[in-house]
Amino acid sequence: FFDDEVPAVRGALVTTMEEAEAILSRSLSEIEKEREDEMNRARGRAVMKKREVLLKTKVSLINGAYEQAKARILNMDGEGYCSFLSHLLADAVLERLTQVSYLKSEYGSDEETDLSCDFTVIFNENDKARYGAQVVKNAKAIMHKRPTIAVADECADICGGLILRYGDTQTNCSVDAIIAHARRKTEAEVTRILTAPAENKGLPNDE
């Protein structure tokens, strides 16, 4: 009796084994695909992490460059810093005098355009005590002019530099303002230099 059933059993076994092999093949294929997908995701995460690190490094380098420039100004020796302030004041006053001259030539000297050229310079507490009077004297010599420039009684909350006041208007010539202005003008070039390959960093010669 049982011998008669052997072919049927064998046929069922073959079918079952074929189905099992097909399932196993599909499972292995799915496992391989999942493995590849996971590797791709891992590579994607690694690329994103690399970009994030590079961006942070780039920002840090750029910020550091301008912080170093600021530090160099503030850490000048006394004579150098006094000269820096003197030229800064002279340039600010001359620019204002040029503006006033232009306004008068264009619009006459009516009440609205006859602006005062009496200047007040504001320093921080330390710079006022150490350099205030000398900076004003030096600036007048640099300009070869004798505008009225007074050192303000009050002090400004700035790390260095100065603030020039004329009438109701004032010009912020603090070191922070100077660095911020320079950054707007030069950041693209600084970024190019700092992030270029070492062999391509075409820094200008000091000739």
Side-chain angles (χ1 to χ4, degrees), residues 98-110 113:
T98 299
Q99 291 173 349
V100 171
S101 177
Y102 171 79
L103 289 172
K104 286 185 176 181
S105 66
E106 289 293 316
Y107 305 106
S109 57
D110 54 44
T113 59

Side-chain angles (χ1 to χ4, degrees), residues 76-140:
M76 287 179 178
D77 60 70
E79 182 179 350
Y81 185 62
C82 184
S83 176
F84 166 76
L85 291 176
S86 301
H87 283 86
L88 188 62
L89 177 58
D91 289 345
V93 170
L94 286 173
E95 182 178 351
R96 178 57 180 170
L97 291 174
T98 299
Q99 291 173 349
V100 171
S101 177
Y102 171 79
L103 289 172
K104 286 185 176 181
S105 66
E106 289 293 316
Y107 305 106
S109 57
D110 54 44
E111 184 176 353
E112 292 184 1
T113 59
D114 190 11
L115 303 174
S116 172
C117 287
D118 291 340
F119 298 94
T120 303
V121 58
I122 310 170
F123 300 98
N124 65 29
E125 185 174 2
N126 182 63
D127 289 352
K128 175 185 175 183
R130 294 186 64 185
Y131 308 112
Q134 187 62 47
V135 166
V136 170
K137 179 180 178 181
N138 292 349
K140 289 181 177 181

